[in-house]
Amino acid sequence: MEKVKCECGHLNPYGTYLCESCGKPLKEEKGKVANMRYEGVARRSQTYKQTPIDKIWNFFSSVKVGIWIIVLLLLTSSLGTLFPQEMYIPPGENPTLYYEQEYGLAGKLYYQLGFHNLYSSWWYMLLIASLGVSLVIASLDRVVPLYRALKTQRVTRHEGFLKRQRIFGEATGITDPDSEMAKAEEILKEKRYNVRRENGNILAEKGRFARWGPYVNHVGLIIFLIGGMLRFFPGMYLDAHVWVREGEQEVISGTNGEYFLRNNEFLIELYDEEDEKYREALQRTGSPVVKTYQTSATLLKRSNEGTVGSETELEEVKDYDIRVNDPLTFEGFSLYQVDYKLNELSQFTFTLENESDENLSDEIQFQVDLNDPQKLYEFDNGYRIEIMEYFPNFVLDDNREPSTLNRIPDNPRIIFEVFPPDVNHEEESGEISLIGIQVNEALNGENDHTIRMLDVEMVDVTGLTIRKDHTLPIISIGGIIFMIGLIQGSYWHHRRIWIQNREGTLLLAGHANKNWQALKNDFQLISDNTHIPSPKDQTEKEDEGVSQNNDPTKQ
Amino acid sequence: MIQLSSNFMYAAFFLYLAATIFFAVSITGKKFKNKQGNEVNKAGMFGFISALLAVLSMLAYFTTRWIAVGYAPVSNMFEYTVALGMATSIGFVIIYALYRNNYLGLFTMPIVMLIVAYASMFPGEVQPLIPALQSHWLTIHVITTVIGQGILAIGFVGGLLYLIRVINFKESSKKVKGVEFILFTLLSTVAYVAMGFGFGASNYEATFEYVNEQGNPAEMIYLFPPLIGPNEGELISEQGMSPVIDAPAIIQSADLNTVIWAVLGGVVLFLLLRLILRQPIGGAIQPLLKNVNPQTVDEISYRAIAIGFPVFTLGGLIFAMIWAQIAWTRFWGWDPKEVWALITFLFYAAYLHLRLSKGWHGEKSAWLCVIGFALIMFNLIFVNLVIAGLHSYA
Ligand code: HEM
């Protein structure tokens, strides 16, 4: 489309309302006050409305649409807090049943509509994506022409432009306009305005950079959203869990077997109920309150010097007390204290008894490590004890066969076979018994010998979450840019004051993108110190005036 | 030390009261004008000074309590709500410095008093902090958030002021009902606090044995006379009365009972006022505000939100995410409290866009300010006490 030439000589893009340079109205507008939202520039969305691309562009660049997206997000987000999300229902519960059981019909519906995973549903994602698209398009639609217009603007403005500003006044009969204007200029400079003069006219401007605030914050938001979106790509972040027993070490997943963590000690500290300070509160709640969860850990690294294959060569990297709110971090990894298990069985000590031999129990004593039991125990007096089967977490399976749930020794059962010295272990079978906590059964008839448990040892186990998140830097940068833009656009604002001398008549006009009161105060200051009167707020008398300046049909 | 900090809080309370009175005088008192037409009634200035002293006294409360308990005193409902009262008065001081509007003072000071009084309904003893709450980031997060909310609360006060100023109370309309509802809510809070102090002073306590959600016997203490009893409840204390009806086990009947008392109290106060005034309460306040310039109040409420929004975002979302990353291994987990902070954020973002581009000034904008504050209170009270998530205190 062809450009529009203004009488001042400036070539404006097609669709311009107010000449970018002198501000002369190029199109008729309703109302006394010009719509200054974007300096009357030509915005793509207001100018081109034909092709499908135009239509999409115009749809997303509309703030009305943007607001609808925000409101829809807000409303749907609140639905997700009606009942707990799936990740917050008690572990082990079946969501299919849980919601109906707990919340009746409403719960069932909630589950069937997928609201138990609302924030990862496709339509919620779609809303967030549209927010992002809308942010990009709406910002581009405005920032480019706005930037050009503010850069191109001239000091001397067309009279029609000045008259159609919200703040406008004419002053006639001033004896020495030039010196009055010089005084005004000084005052404005003192108020830290950036003053430009041209042909005796003044343009005083302040805080233009605040105009970029919204665009900067939108860019921050977009970066933040991109960072969030990256989490859907595999490998962008690691979320693993590890249990480490006291005294043991486990490999840290995600490190290619390079790093290990040793749990030196796990401890829980409670608040002292006798403590004067907390007595009242502790009595009211009636239950002990935890003060600290802590894993005293050592980070180990496989040393490079060790010969190939000798995997146990581990070098201590550092000692750290991992606590809630105080993770251990290294090379982008973080280990968090999230769980624990106290008093897990770790070792049984047994002895062997025989009614006819009182000394036997002194001679035979042995330990079974429940996490890594030895298969065979041989004694000097010729006795031999074998472990035939070991069930760390004993259950009877569906076929009523003994089995184990997992490798965690929560309910250990051991089947021992005892060979006294006179029995040949290769040819004959020994006495077989099943041993566990409070369990001691002979499995092949009467036994002469009894295995008796002497001692039980337990350890504490710490549960740690391992995290590495490559999206964090992006998300942080997005957040920082967002905050900068937000502050830039909220705590500063853009004001302009025009004073023009037309053959002795002073034309005064002012524009602020918000906080008009401050602009008016500046005019007041001028009029207090010069003979230039304060201009009027043209919207003040008519109550509807304010919205005229922001006529929705013009957005 | 705790005693000292409480004394500072009481002092602040009376200073808020003094400020209210000064602001009232500045508005209703005789208008003295000098030749230039400037106001020479100094009451407004005294009001501002009182408010400033109250803020200082609150800060003294905050500091001494911090020293006494050993952590930032924003860790339970009592402490947080007091801090919200303090933050609201800080917000007021900031906005007053910009606009010097005495009407805003007349409205804000009583609301701050109400918030502080409401806070004192919660147990105020020193509480041990669980490990998840022992963090500097938590301190930074909560303090920033509360200041943001306090400034946003001034937006609400401005909005309310605007509505009472411009709405036509002569004819019954939805708007009139809306304003009356806001005032009713405030009156219910007044009633709740007054009754709470009354029953508290007389050491009222009714204890029930009841069957809880899991079907186990348990005990429940009522601080208000039981209108609604617990599930299969049996009164075991001397004080108390037999309830009219028993609540099902899933409902915290003592809390529900308290809410019912508050609403009943609010109804009584409201009807009483209506009877005395013989018109909507808002309509009775309106003549006091005839000198208020609606455009100025409109700008004040917008300004409060424009100032409060970045602070709230920084505290309630950004610092919150940093803390969540450290304490809970992820910066965002869709916990109800987080979601409601996001909703509050989105709501004010929508407000700013509506105002900026759709020209939602004046009345519409004022209603939005009211709703925004309702969201903040909802997040504080309802989400904390009812939708118990990871954040729930007490
Ligand atoms: C949650 C998401 C968003 C946030 C937090 C946000 C934040 C902001 C803020 C703080 C302002 C400045 C307001 C003021 O100065 O009073 C602003 C302005 C603006 N926003 Fe957004 N925004 C969001 C989403 C959107 C979307 C989806 C659109 C798309 C239509 C949009 C379009 C605009 C426009 C056109 C402006 C005016 C810029 C100007 O001054 O010329 N925003 N935004």
Side-chain angles (χ1 to χ4, degrees), chain A residues 37-38 60-63 66 70 131 134-135 138 142 214-215 217-218 221 482 486 489 514, chain B residues 302 309 345-346 349 352-353 356:
Chain A
R37 282 286 303 128
Y38 299 100
F60 282 112
S61 82
S62 151
V63 179
I70 296 177
L131 183 81
S134 174
L135 274 169
R142 290 165 174 83
Y215 307 106
N217 91 44
H218 290 166
L221 268 179
F482 172 72
L486 195 57
K514 51 183 165 187
Chain B
Y302 164 67
F309 181 69
F345 166 79
L346 290 175
L352 289 174
H353 288 91
L356 176 114

Coordinates of all heavy atoms in Angstrom, one line a residue, chain A residues 37-38 60-63 66 70 131 134-135 138 142 214-215 217-218 221 482 486 489 514, chain B residues 302 309 345-346 349 352-353 356, ligand 1:
Chain A
R37 N -3.0 6.1 22.4 CA -2.5 4.9 22.9 C -1.2 4.4 22.3 O -0.2 4.1 23.0 CB -3.5 3.7 22.8 CG -4.6 3.7 23.8 CD -4.1 3.3 25.2 NE -3.5 2.0 25.2 CZ -2.4 1.8 25.8 NH1 -1.7 2.7 26.3 NH2 -1.9 0.6 25.7
Y38 N -1.2 4.4 21.0 CA 0.1 4.1 20.3 C 0.5 5.2 19.4 O 0.9 5.0 18.3 CB -0.1 2.7 19.6 CG -0.4 1.7 20.6 CD1 -1.7 1.2 20.8 CD2 0.6 1.2 21.4 CE1 -2.0 0.3 21.7 CE2 0.3 0.2 22.4 CZ -1.0 -0.2 22.6 OH -1.4 -1.1 23.5
F60 N -4.9 -12.7 17.4 CA -4.0 -12.8 18.6 C -3.4 -11.4 19.0 O -2.9 -11.3 20.1 CB -2.8 -13.8 18.3 CG -3.3 -15.2 18.4 CD1 -3.3 -16.0 17.3 CD2 -3.6 -15.7 19.7 CE1 -3.7 -17.3 17.4 CE2 -4.0 -17.0 19.8 CZ -4.1 -17.8 18.7
S61 N -3.5 -10.4 18.2 CA -2.9 -9.2 18.6 C -3.9 -8.4 19.4 O -3.6 -7.3 20.0 CB -2.4 -8.3 17.4 OG -3.5 -7.7 16.9
S62 N -5.1 -8.9 19.4 CA -6.2 -8.1 20.2 C -6.0 -8.3 21.7 O -5.9 -9.4 22.1 CB -7.5 -8.6 19.7 OG -8.5 -8.5 20.8
V63 N -6.0 -7.2 22.4 CA -5.8 -7.3 23.8 C -7.1 -8.0 24.4 O -7.0 -8.7 25.4 CB -5.6 -6.0 24.5 CG1 -5.5 -6.1 26.0 CG2 -4.3 -5.4 24.0
G66 N -6.4 -11.5 24.4 CA -5.4 -11.8 25.4 C -6.1 -11.8 26.8 O -5.8 -12.8 27.6
I70 N -6.3 -15.0 29.5 CA -5.9 -14.9 30.9 C -7.0 -15.3 31.8 O -6.9 -16.1 32.7 CB -5.4 -13.4 31.2 CG1 -4.2 -13.1 30.4 CG2 -5.2 -13.3 32.7 CD1 -3.7 -11.7 30.6
L131 N -1.6 -18.2 25.1 CA -1.1 -17.1 25.8 C 0.2 -16.6 25.2 O 0.5 -15.4 25.0 CB -0.9 -17.4 27.3 CG -0.5 -16.2 28.2 CD1 -1.7 -15.4 28.5 CD2 0.1 -16.7 29.5
S134 N -0.2 -15.1 21.7 CA -0.8 -13.8 21.8 C 0.2 -12.8 22.3 O 0.2 -11.6 21.8 CB -2.0 -14.0 22.8 OG -2.6 -12.7 23.0
L135 N 1.0 -13.2 23.3 CA 2.0 -12.3 23.8 C 3.0 -11.8 22.7 O 3.3 -10.6 22.6 CB 2.8 -13.0 24.9 CG 2.3 -13.0 26.3 CD1 3.1 -13.9 27.2 CD2 2.4 -11.6 26.9
A138 N 0.9 -9.7 19.9 CA 0.4 -8.4 20.4 C 1.5 -7.5 20.6 O 1.4 -6.3 20.3 CB -0.4 -8.6 21.6
R142 N 2.6 -3.9 18.2 CA 2.7 -2.5 18.8 C 4.1 -1.9 18.9 O 4.3 -0.8 18.7 CB 2.0 -2.5 20.2 CG 0.5 -2.8 20.1 CD -0.1 -3.2 21.4 NE -1.5 -3.2 21.4 CZ -2.2 -4.3 21.0 NH1 -1.6 -5.3 20.5 NH2 -3.5 -4.2 21.0
P214 N 6.2 -2.9 29.3 CA 5.4 -4.0 29.0 C 6.0 -5.0 28.0 O 5.8 -6.2 28.1 CB 4.1 -3.4 28.4 CG 4.1 -2.0 28.9 CD 5.5 -1.6 29.1
Y215 N 6.7 -4.5 27.0 CA 7.3 -5.4 26.0 C 8.4 -6.2 26.6 O 8.5 -7.4 26.3 CB 7.7 -4.6 24.8 CG 6.6 -3.7 24.3 CD1 6.6 -2.3 24.5 CD2 5.5 -4.3 23.7 CE1 5.5 -1.5 24.1 CE2 4.4 -3.5 23.3 CZ 4.4 -2.1 23.5 OH 3.4 -1.4 23.1
N217 N 8.6 -7.0 29.7 CA 8.1 -8.1 30.6 C 7.4 -9.2 29.8 O 7.5 -10.4 30.1 CB 7.2 -7.5 31.7 CG 5.7 -7.4 31.4 OD1 5.1 -8.3 30.8 ND2 5.1 -6.2 31.8
H218 N 6.8 -8.8 28.6 CA 6.2 -9.9 27.8 C 7.3 -10.8 27.3 O 7.2 -12.0 27.2 CB 5.4 -9.3 26.7 CG 4.2 -8.7 27.1 ND1 3.4 -7.8 26.3 CD2 3.5 -8.7 28.3 CE1 2.3 -7.4 27.0 NE2 2.4 -7.9 28.2
L221 N 8.2 -13.1 29.9 CA 7.2 -14.2 30.1 C 7.4 -15.3 29.0 O 7.3 -16.5 29.3 CB 5.8 -13.6 29.9 CG 5.1 -13.1 31.2 CD1 3.8 -12.5 30.8 CD2 4.9 -14.3 32.1
F482 N 11.4 -10.6 33.1 CA 10.0 -10.2 33.3 C 9.9 -9.2 34.5 O 9.2 -8.2 34.3 CB 9.2 -11.5 33.7 CG 7.8 -11.2 34.2 CD1 6.8 -10.8 33.4 CD2 7.5 -11.3 35.6 CE1 5.6 -10.5 33.8 CE2 6.2 -11.0 36.0 CZ 5.3 -10.6 35.1
L486 N 8.6 -5.4 34.3 CA 7.4 -5.1 35.1 C 7.7 -3.8 35.9 O 6.9 -2.9 36.0 CB 7.1 -6.3 36.1 CG 5.8 -6.3 36.8 CD1 4.6 -6.2 35.7 CD2 5.6 -7.5 37.6
G489 N 8.0 -0.7 33.7 CA 6.7 -0.2 33.2 C 5.8 0.3 34.3 O 4.8 1.1 34.1
K514 N 0.2 7.3 31.7 CA -0.6 7.0 32.9 C -0.2 8.0 34.0 O 0.7 8.8 33.8 CB -0.6 5.6 33.4 CG 0.8 5.1 33.6 CD 0.7 3.6 34.0 CE 2.0 2.9 33.9 NZ 1.9 1.5 34.1
Chain B
Y302 N -5.9 2.5 41.2 CA -5.1 1.9 40.2 C -3.6 2.0 40.5 O -2.9 1.1 40.4 CB -5.4 2.7 38.9 CG -4.3 2.4 37.9 CD1 -4.1 1.2 37.3 CD2 -3.4 3.4 37.5 CE1 -3.1 0.9 36.4 CE2 -2.4 3.2 36.6 CZ -2.2 2.0 36.0 OH -1.2 1.7 35.2
F309 N 1.4 -4.7 42.4 CA 1.5 -5.9 41.6 C 2.9 -6.4 41.4 O 3.1 -7.6 41.6 CB 0.8 -5.6 40.2 CG 0.8 -6.7 39.3 CD1 0.0 -7.9 39.5 CD2 1.5 -6.7 38.1 CE1 0.0 -8.9 38.6 CE2 1.5 -7.7 37.2 CZ 0.8 -8.8 37.4
F345 N -2.4 -13.5 40.6 CA -1.5 -12.8 39.6 C -2.2 -12.6 38.3 O -2.2 -11.5 37.7 CB -0.2 -13.7 39.5 CG 0.6 -13.3 38.3 CD1 1.5 -12.3 38.3 CD2 0.6 -14.1 37.1 CE1 2.3 -12.0 37.3 CE2 1.4 -13.8 36.1 CZ 2.2 -12.7 36.1
L346 N -2.8 -13.6 37.8 CA -3.5 -13.5 36.5 C -4.7 -12.5 36.6 O -4.9 -11.8 35.7 CB -4.1 -14.9 36.1 CG -3.0 -15.9 35.7 CD1 -3.7 -17.3 35.4 CD2 -2.3 -15.5 34.4
A349 N -3.3 -9.1 36.4 CA -2.8 -8.9 35.1 C -4.0 -8.6 34.2 O -3.9 -7.6 33.4 CB -2.0 -10.1 34.6
L352 N -5.1 -5.0 34.8 CA -4.2 -4.0 34.2 C -4.5 -3.9 32.7 O -4.6 -2.8 32.2 CB -2.7 -4.3 34.4 CG -2.2 -4.2 35.9 CD1 -0.8 -4.7 36.0 CD2 -2.3 -2.7 36.3
H353 N -4.7 -5.0 32.1 CA -5.0 -5.0 30.6 C -6.3 -4.4 30.3 O -6.5 -3.6 29.4 CB -4.8 -6.4 30.0 CG -3.5 -6.9 29.9 ND1 -2.9 -7.6 30.9 CD2 -2.5 -6.7 29.0 CE1 -1.6 -7.9 30.6 NE2 -1.4 -7.3 29.4
L356 N -6.0 -0.7 30.9 CA -5.2 0.0 29.9 C -5.8 0.0 28.5 O -5.7 1.0 27.8 CB -3.9 -0.8 29.9 CG -2.8 -0.5 29.0 CD1 -1.6 -0.1 29.9 CD2 -2.4 -1.8 28.3
Ligands
HEM1 C1 0.0 -13.4 32.4 C2 0.3 -12.8 31.3 C3 0.6 -11.3 31.2 C4 1.2 -10.4 32.0 C5 1.7 -10.7 33.4 C6 1.2 -9.2 31.4 C7 1.7 -8.0 32.0 C8 1.6 -6.8 31.4 C9 1.8 -5.5 32.1 C10 2.3 -5.5 33.6 C11 1.5 -4.5 31.3 C12 1.6 -3.1 31.6 C13 0.4 -2.6 32.2 C14 0.4 -1.2 32.7 O1 1.4 -0.5 32.5 O2 -0.6 -0.9 33.3 C15 1.1 -5.1 30.1 C16 0.7 -4.4 29.0 C17 0.3 -4.9 27.8 N1 0.0 -6.3 27.6 FE1 0.4 -7.7 28.8 N2 0.7 -9.3 30.1 C18 0.3 -10.6 30.0 C19 -0.3 -11.1 28.9 C20 -0.6 -10.4 27.7 C21 -1.3 -11.0 26.6 C22 -1.7 -12.4 26.4 C23 -1.4 -10.0 25.7 C24 -2.0 -10.2 24.3 C25 -2.9 -9.5 23.8 C26 -0.9 -8.8 26.3 C27 -0.8 -7.5 25.7 C28 -0.5 -6.4 26.3 C29 -0.5 -5.1 25.7 C30 -0.9 -4.8 24.3 C31 0.0 -4.2 26.6 C32 0.1 -2.7 26.5 C33 1.4 -2.3 26.1 C34 1.5 -0.8 25.9 O3 1.6 -0.1 26.9 O4 1.5 -0.4 24.8 N3 -0.4 -9.1 27.5 N4 1.1 -6.5 30.2

